[in-house]
Amino acid sequence: MISNQILQNTIDGLKGITRIDLCVINTEGKVLAATFAETENYIEAAETFADSPADSQVMQGCQFFKVFDERQLEYILLANGDSDDVYMVGKIAAFQIQNLLVAYKERFDKDNFIKNLLLDNLLLVDIYNRSKKLHIDTEVRRVVYIIEANRDKEGNDLKKVRSIYGSSSQDFVTAVDEKDIIVVKELTENETYDDLNKTAEVILDLFKTEPKREVHIAYGTIVGDIKDVSRSYKEARMALDVGKIFLPEKRIVAYATLGIGRLIYQLPIPLCKMFIREIFDGKSPDDFDEETLTTINKFFENSLNVSETSRQLYIHRNTLVYRLDKLQKSTGLDLRVFEDAITFKIALMVVKYMKYMESMDY
């Protein structure tokens, strides 16, 4: 469970303090970490020691110690030498590795729990029972972030995020697939949605050294009970998709800011096609030329204000009116009328949604 690198770092540190060489061998006779050469000479002795009832023993001029994980033998530790000082250092090293096993196992158990919690794989009674066992508070404010970074296989992206949140026992950084990183963050009573956005910006800054890499971050709503963490995760997942469709220029998207896009995203495709067919008689609103689409979008941006739109487009007011009249003749919708403008705006969003879903099928 503990990586060989962690074991090597541990015994390197102990040797640096005590000047005593150490070696860790697993129960299959493989050397996992060592601070001296010719460790193969001790493998047979380690295998013999593993089968003996003793917890420590002197053989071939070395102190041998057993390291257990819940009464199951996990490692054989060698301390090079047979003096009392070497014995004491060996006992300390064995104790240190034992504590590492406990810590990493607890972290592994928590990670599995959080993954199953996010994916709704736990019964309600199991959520509370396992939370209690793992010393995780159940009634605190939390929110879920999803970082879509097409993370690297070496796990460096996970390490980046864990460097700022993983050290806290109240925050969890994990992954449920090969693409995204999930942060389940515990919040104080005073933290607001503005604070959540600042947190997202801090995470985004971690990836700014790779400007060509597209990173998107989405987060759900704040929940007050651990059983609702999966809901915040689903909201963040929806925000990630909806943001790509309707807010492609944004790198950070909050579920609470999705507006009508959130509703359109949940519509079945056949219903969308029927809506477009009924409103535009089989045509698509994005089939208009670039000039018309630019005029429409700018008109919406300026809250249907003719004067401001014509000013920003650098055209005469009458030219804008002419374009709107022409659009009304071809669609039957007058964008100067609020109800017609709403219909057209929704139609544009529905078409975007349908195109996105079609692209996901390929």
Side-chain angles (χ1 to χ4, degrees), residues 11 23 33-34 54 63 67 98-99 120 129 148 160 167 175 177 182 186 231 233 248 264 327:
I11 62 175
C23 174
Q63 300 277 2
V67 180
Q98 177 81 50
N99 285 341
D120 265 342
N129 286 342
E148 185 184 75
K160 278 183 183 178
S167 59
D177 56 36
I182 316 297
E186 184 173 314
R231 189 187 79 214
Y233 170 68
I264 293 173
L327 187 64

Side-chain angles (χ1 to χ4, degrees), residues 23-42:
C23 174
V24 180
I25 302 174
N26 67 13
T27 54
E28 296 173 356
K30 182 180 178 182
V31 176
L32 303 180
T35 62
F36 62 99
E38 299 178 355
T39 52
E40 292 81 5
N41 297 336
Y42 299 96

Side-chain angles (χ1 to χ4, degrees), residues 222-276:
I222 298 171
V223 296
D225 194 292
I226 196 164
K227 67 179 174 61
D228 296 320
V229 164
S230 62
R231 189 187 79 214
S232 187
Y233 170 68
K234 290 171 187 173
E235 291 170 348
R237 177 66 61 190
M238 181 186 288
L240 200 61
D241 287 339
V242 175
K244 288 179 186 176
I245 302 170
F246 304 119
L247 303 165
E249 73 285 351
K250 284 196 171 184
R251 290 290 172 263
I252 298 172
V253 180
Y255 176 81
T257 64
L258 295 179
I260 198 170
R262 189 170 74 199
L263 299 176
I264 293 173
Y265 181 76
Q266 298 179 76
L267 294 175
I269 294 297
L271 184 62
C272 293
K273 289 180 178 179
M274 184 175 69
F275 172 72
I276 296 299

